[in-house]
C-alpha cells in the first residue's frame, strides 16, 4: 500500500540516513545492531508484554540484558542504541554504563581508575549513581547524607541523618547493584567541604543482601521505566574505607588533611554525560513516534471525496498541522544533538586528559537548555502522535503509549527542566554582561545577544528566521535582566520576582541554536538533500516563532502582516512535506520490530494485525470463560439483597 508513497520521495534516502546518524559509519553500525535485535528470538516484540506483572517484566528484561551483553559492547560510550531498539524496556545496566563509568573517568584518580575500571566494564563491580534524595533532587549542594571522617580509623562514616536524606530514585539500586556511587556532604574536623562521591560496596558479594547498616529496596511502580528498579537507600553510621572517596580533585589524608585541586564543578561531569545521552539517543524516540503516526495516517482512510473514494487522513490539512511541524522539529533536534555531542565530548576530553575546564560553562549551559527542550519535545511529540492516531493510538499495540510513558520521566530526571532553563538563563545573563565588557570572550553561539533590532524583507528565509529567533531571545533576556535588577535583593528577585521571565528567555535559546545547527547541516553536510532540508528548516523556524514571539512583539519587530505571512508560508510548504513524509521518517531505517507497532508496519494489513493480536495473542482471552465471571454473579446476589 505504501510503495507509491515511497516512490514519490524527492531526495536520496540513504544520504538523509547518514545525516541523521552522524555519518555512514554510525548508520551502518545502527543497522548492524538493529539486525541483532530483529533476528534474536528473545527480542521479538511481544505485545502481550503489557499483560505481564511488573515482576515478570523485570525478570524478562534481565534475561534480555544478558543476551545482549553476550554480543554487544554495552560499555562502549558511543553506543546506547540498545535502549532505543530493545523492545519494551531498557537494559538493567543503563545507569551503570551511562553514569557510573563516566563519573569514574572524570572524578577518580589514576590509581582508582586502574583498580576499578576493568571491573566496572565487565560488571564485576556493578554500581548505581546514588545522588537524589527524598528531600532534595536538583538542589545537589543541599543534599543531607553525610560522610564524616573518623581520624582514629581513617574511615568515612556514611550516615542518613533524617528521612529526607534517604537516597531515592537511583536506577539499578532497588534490586541489582552491589556498589553505589554515593554523593554525600564531606565533613572533616567539623568543617564541611561540600558534596562529593564515595564508591561503596552496599551488598554482600556472596548473598547479595544489604550490608549491615544499610537499608535498600525498590520504590515501587511509577509512570514509565516500569522495568527499571529505581530504589531507596539509607545508612546507619556505615563505615567506608579512606579510598572510597573518588579523589582526583579532593583528597583526605589518613590524618585528616584536606587537599583540593582543579574545578569543584567537575562533579557535574557525569550528569552532563547522561544529559548528552538524553539529547543524542532518546531524541530518536520522537522519530519513532512520528514514523508510526505518519505510516498509520497513510494506511488509515476516513470519509469520501467527490469521487466516492476514501481519503487518507494524512491528506487532511489538520492532520498535517499536527504532524509536520513535529517532523521538522525532530530533524532540528537531531542536528542540534550532533553539535551538542561534539561539544560534550570535547569538554569531557579536555577535563579528563588536560585538566582544562575552559569549555565547562559553555557546555553546561547549552546542554542544560537542550536537555530541557529536547526531552519536552519527545514527550509532547509522542502525545500528539498518539492523538493523531485516534482510538488505536491509545492501545499499547500501537507502540505509542510506551514511548510517552518511557520518555515523560526524562523531563524530570537528570535535572528538572525548569531548573535547567534557569541555569541556562544565568549563563545568558553572564554573556549579556560580557557583550559590553568583554565582547571577545562571548562564545559564537551567544553573540546574538548584542542584537537590538533586525530589519527583514522576507521573514520566511532561513537567514532571517535565524536572526528573528536570536533577536527574540536577546530581547527576552534583556527584559529578564531588567526585571531581575529592579529589586535590591538579587536572591529574592531571582526566586520570587523574575523567575518566569528568566525561564522564558532561556526557553527561546535552543530554537535559535537548533536553527544554526540546521543551517550548518544544509550548507556543509547535505548534498542532494538540501532542498527538502531547507523546507523542513523553514517550517521549524516559522513554527518556533509562531509558538513564541513574545520578545519580538514587545519591541514591535513583527507586524500583523508578517505574522500572517509566516502562517501562510508554513501552510504552503506542507504539500512538499506531504510528498516526502514517508521517506523522511523511513530515513531513520527503523525495522518493524524496532517500531513495536501493529498499526504502522512497513507493509501489511494493519486491521488484520490488530484483530489477530486481540483474538489470538492477548493472554486475557486464553480462557473461553474468564474466572472473573464469578464476580458478576456475586454482584447480582448483592443487588438482589438491596
Amino acid at each position: 500500500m505504501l510503495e507509491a508513497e515511497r516512490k514519490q520521495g524527492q531526495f536520496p534516502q540513504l544520504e538523509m540516513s547518514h545525516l541523521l546518524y552522524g555519518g555512514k559509519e554510525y548508520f551502518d553500525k545502527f543497522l548492524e545492531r538493529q539486525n541483532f535485535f530483529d533476528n534474536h528470538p528473545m527480542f521479538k516484540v511481544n505485545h502481550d508484554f503489557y499483560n505481564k506483572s511488573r515482576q515478570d517484566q523485570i525478570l524478562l528484561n534481565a534475561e534480555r540484558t544478558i543476551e545482549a551483553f553476550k554480543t554487544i559492547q554495552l560499555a562502549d560510550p558511543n553506543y546506547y542504541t540498545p535502549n532505543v531498539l530493545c523492545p519494551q524496556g531498557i537494559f538493567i545496566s543503563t545507569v551503570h554504563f551511562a553514569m557510573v563509568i563516566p563519573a569514574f573517568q572524570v572524578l577518580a584518580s589514576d590509581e582508582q581508575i586502574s583498580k576499578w575500571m576493568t571491573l566496572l566494564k565487565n560488571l564485576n563491580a556493578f554500581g548505581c549513581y546514588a545522588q537524589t534524595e527524598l528531600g532534595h533532587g536538583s538542589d545537589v549542594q543541599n543534599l543531607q547524607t553525610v560522610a564524616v571522617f573518623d581520624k582514629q580509623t581513617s574511615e568515612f562514616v556514611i550516615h542518613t541523618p533524617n528521612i529526607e536524606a534517604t537516597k531515592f530514585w537511583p536506577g539499578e539500586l532497588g534490586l541489582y547493584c552491589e556498589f553505589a556511587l554515593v554523593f554525600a556532604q564531606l565533613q572533616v574536623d567539623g568543617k564541611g567541604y561540600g558534596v562529593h562521591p564515595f564508591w561503596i560496596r552496599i551488598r554482600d558479594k556472596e548473598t547479595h543482601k544489604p550490608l549491615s547498616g544499610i537499608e535498600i529496596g525498590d520504590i515501587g511502580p511509577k509512570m514509565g521505566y516500569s522495568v527499571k528498579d529505581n530504589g531507596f537507600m539509607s545508612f546507619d553510621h556505615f563505615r567506608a574505607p579512606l579510598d572510597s572517596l573518588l579523589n582526583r580533585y579532593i583528597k583526605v589524608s589518613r590524618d585528616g588533611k584536606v587537599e583540593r585541586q582543579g574545578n569543584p564543578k567537575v562533579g557535574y561531569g557525569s550528569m552532563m554525560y547522561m544529559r548528552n545521552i538524553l539529547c543524542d539517543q532518546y531524541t530518536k524516540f520522537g522519530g519513532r513516534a512520528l514514523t508510526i503516526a505518519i505510516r498509520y495516517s497513510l494506511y488509515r482512510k476516513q470519509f469520501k471525496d467527490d469521487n466516492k473514494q476514501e481519503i487518507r487522513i494524512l491528506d487532511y490539512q489538520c492532520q498535517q498541522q499536527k504532524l509536520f511541524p513535529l517532523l521538522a522539529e525532530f530533524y532540528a533536534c537531531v542536528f542540534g544533538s550532533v553539535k551538542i555531542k561534539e561539544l560534550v565530548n570535547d569538554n569531557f576530553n579536555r577535563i579528563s586528559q588536560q585538566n582544562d575546564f575552559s569549555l565547562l560553562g559553555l557546555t553546561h549551559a547549552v546542554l542544560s537548555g537542550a536537555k530541557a527542550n529536547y526531552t519536552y519535545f519527545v514527550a509532547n511529540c509522542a502525545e500528539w502522535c498518539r492523538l493523531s492516531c485516534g482510538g488505536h493510538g491509545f492501545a499499547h499495540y500501537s507502540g505509542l503509549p510506551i514511548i510517552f510513558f518511557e520518555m515523560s520521566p526524562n523531563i524530570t530526571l537528570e535535572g528538572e527542566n525548569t531548573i535547567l532553563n534557569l541555569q541556562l538563563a544565568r549563563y545568558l545573563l553572564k554573556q549579556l554582561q560580557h557583550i559590553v565588557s568583554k565582547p571577545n570572550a562571548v562564545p559564537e553561539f551567544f553573540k546574538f545577544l548584542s542584537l537590538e533590532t533586525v530589519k527583514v524583507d522576507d521573514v520566511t528565509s532561513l537567514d532571517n528566521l535565524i536572526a528573528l529567533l536570536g533577536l527574540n531571545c536577546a530581547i527576552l533576556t534583556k527584559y529578564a535582566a531588567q526585571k531581575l535588577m529592579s529589586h535590591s535583593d538579587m536572591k529574592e528577585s531571582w526566586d520570587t520576582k523574575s523567575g518566569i521571565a528568566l525561564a522564558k528567555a532561556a526557553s527561546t535559546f535552543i530554537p535559535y541554536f537548533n536553527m544554526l545547527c540546521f543551517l550548518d547541516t544544509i550548507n556543509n553536510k547535505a548534498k542532494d538533500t538540501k532542498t527538502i532540508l531547507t523546507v523542513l528548516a523553514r517550517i521549524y523556524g516559522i513554527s518556533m516563532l509562531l509558538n513564541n514571539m513574545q520578545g519580538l512583539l514587545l519591541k514591535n519587530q513583527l507586524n500583523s502582516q508578517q505574522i500572517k505571512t509566516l502562517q501562510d508560508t508554513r501552510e504552503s510548504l506542507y504539500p512538499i512535506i506531504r510528498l516526502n513524509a514517508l521517506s523522511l521518517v523511513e530515513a531513520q531505517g527503523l525495522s518493524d520490530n524496532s517500531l513495536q507497532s501493529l498499526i504502522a508496519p512497513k507493509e501489511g494489513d494493519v486491521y488484520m494485525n490488530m484483530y489477530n493480536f486481540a483474538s489470538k495473542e492477548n493472554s486475557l482471552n486464553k480462557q473461553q470463560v474468564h474466572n472473573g465471571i464469578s464476580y458478576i454473579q456475586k454482584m447480582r446476589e448483592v443487588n438482589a439483597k438491596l
Side-chain angles (χ1 to χ4, degrees), residues 47 292 392-401 595-599:
H47 292 282
I292 294 170
H392 294 306
F394 284 81
H396 269 299
Y397 59 65
S398 73
L400 290 168
L595 281 184
Q596 305 173 30
S597 175
L598 294 180
I599 70 171

Side-chain angles (χ1 to χ4, degrees), residues 174-201:
L175 301 174
Y176 292 119
C177 69
E178 300 172 302
F179 291 82
L181 193 59
V182 178
F183 286 77
Q185 299 281 358
L186 173 62
Q187 296 178 5
V188 181
D189 288 333
K191 181 180 179 180
Y193 289 87
V195 175
H196 295 281
F198 297 81
W199 181 240
I200 300 170
R201 173 176 281 280

Side-chain angles (χ1 to χ4, degrees), residues 158 200-205 207-216 233-240:
I158 313 297
I200 300 170
R201 173 176 281 280
I202 59 174
R203 285 184 169 103
D204 184 87
K205 185 176 181 180
T207 67
H208 200 65
K209 292 181 179 179
L211 296 179
S212 178
I214 303 178
E215 183 182 7
I216 308 174
M233 176 168 58
S234 62
F235 299 91
D236 184 3
H237 298 92
F238 179 82
R239 290 185 171 269

Side-chain angles (χ1 to χ4, degrees), residues 581-616:
L582 184 62
S583 295
L584 285 167
V585 293
E586 291 191 343
Q588 298 170 83
L590 294 169
S591 66
D592 283 354
N593 197 60
S594 294
L595 281 184
Q596 305 173 30
S597 175
L598 294 180
I599 70 171
K602 188 173 183 179
E603 291 293 347
D605 188 332
V606 295
Y607 301 115
M608 184 60 72
N609 289 344
M610 290 183 271
Y611 179 77
N612 284 339
F613 165 72
S615 62
K616 299 177 181 178

Side-chain angles (χ1 to χ4, degrees), residues 30 57 72 83 156 173 292 294 525 597:
F30 168 81
Q57 290 179 355
I72 299 173
N83 292 328
F156 296 104
L173 169 61
I292 294 170
I294 286 175
K525 299 176 183 178
S597 175

Side-chain angles (χ1 to χ4, degrees), residues 218-265:
D218 178 86
I219 68 170
K222 53 207 174 286
M223 177 179 174
Y225 293 129
S226 63
V227 301
K228 180 59 63 179
D229 58 325
N230 298 85
F232 67 87
M233 176 168 58
S234 62
F235 299 91
D236 184 3
H237 298 92
F238 179 82
R239 290 185 171 269
L242 181 64
D243 66 353
S244 63
L245 171 65
L246 298 194
N247 58 23
R248 179 175 291 275
Y249 298 99
I250 186 168
K251 295 182 179 180
V252 179
S253 66
R254 299 192 68 83
D255 58 356
K257 292 182 180 178
V258 180
E259 179 184 354
R260 292 182 183 271
Q261 59 185 17
N263 192 320
K265 293 182 179 179

Side-chain angles (χ1 to χ4, degrees), residues 92-347:
I92 63 176
S93 56
T94 304
V95 174
H96 175 81
F97 287 124
M99 295 193 71
V100 175
I101 288 179
F104 255 85
Q105 291 171 326
V106 172
L107 301 172
S109 65
D110 292 341
E111 182 180 352
Q112 289 172 322
I113 289 175
S114 177
K115 177 181 179 179
W116 290 104
M117 192 53 65
T118 299
L119 297 172
L120 287 165
K121 289 186 176 180
N122 62 27
L123 290 180
N124 283 318
F126 184 31
C128 70
Y129 192 91
Q131 178 172 290
T132 298
E133 298 175 354
L134 257 177
H136 293 84
S138 299
D139 186 8
V140 176
Q141 62 185 350
N142 285 312
L143 294 176
Q144 296 184 19
T145 302
V146 294
V148 181
F149 183 70
D150 184 343
K151 277 188 177 181
Q152 293 185 344
T153 62
S154 296
E155 294 174 313
F156 296 104
V157 180
I158 313 297
H159 184 60
T160 303
N162 53 55
I163 195 70
E164 292 180 14
T166 303
K167 295 298 180 184
F168 216 82
W169 286 105
E172 288 149 36
L173 169 61
L175 301 174
Y176 292 119
C177 69
E178 300 172 302
F179 291 82
L181 193 59
V182 178
F183 286 77
Q185 299 281 358
L186 173 62
Q187 296 178 5
V188 181
D189 288 333
K191 181 180 179 180
Y193 289 87
V195 175
H196 295 281
F198 297 81
W199 181 240
I200 300 170
R201 173 176 281 280
I202 59 174
R203 285 184 169 103
D204 184 87
K205 185 176 181 180
E206 302 299 327
T207 67
H208 200 65
K209 292 181 179 179
L211 296 179
S212 178
I214 303 178
E215 183 182 7
I216 308 174
D218 178 86
I219 68 170
K222 53 207 174 286
M223 177 179 174
Y225 293 129
S226 63
V227 301
K228 180 59 63 179
D229 58 325
N230 298 85
F232 67 87
M233 176 168 58
S234 62
F235 299 91
D236 184 3
H237 298 92
F238 179 82
R239 290 185 171 269
L242 181 64
D243 66 353
S244 63
L245 171 65
L246 298 194
N247 58 23
R248 179 175 291 275
Y249 298 99
I250 186 168
K251 295 182 179 180
V252 179
S253 66
R254 299 192 68 83
D255 58 356
K257 292 182 180 178
V258 180
E259 179 184 354
R260 292 182 183 271
Q261 59 185 17
N263 192 320
K265 293 182 179 179
V266 73
Y268 296 105
S270 52
M271 285 192 71
M272 291 169 65
Y273 201 76
M274 185 61 193
R275 287 171 188 169
N276 177 49
I277 293 171
L278 291 173
C279 294
D280 178 39
Q281 288 295 327
Y282 285 75
T283 299
K284 292 182 170 61
F285 278 90
R288 193 166 106 185
L290 284 161
T291 304
I292 294 170
I294 286 175
R295 274 192 184 164
Y296 177 75
S297 296
L298 291 168
Y299 281 120
R300 183 76 166 180
K301 297 179 180 180
Q302 292 288 283
F303 308 107
K304 294 181 179 180
D305 60 19
D306 292 339
N307 296 318
K308 307 300 181 182
Q309 298 296 312
E310 286 192 303
I311 303 170
R312 291 183 175 184
I313 62 174
L314 195 60
D315 289 330
Y316 289 105
Q317 190 185 49
C318 287
Q319 186 78 343
Q320 295 173 8
Q321 176 62 25
K322 290 178 184 177
L323 296 175
F324 291 173
L326 291 172
L327 179 60
E329 189 169 1
F330 166 68
Y331 270 78
C333 291
V334 168
F335 296 146
S337 73
V338 171
K339 184 62 182 178
I340 291 168
K341 186 177 181 180
E342 294 172 1
L343 187 61
V344 170
N345 288 340
D346 190 9
N347 173 65

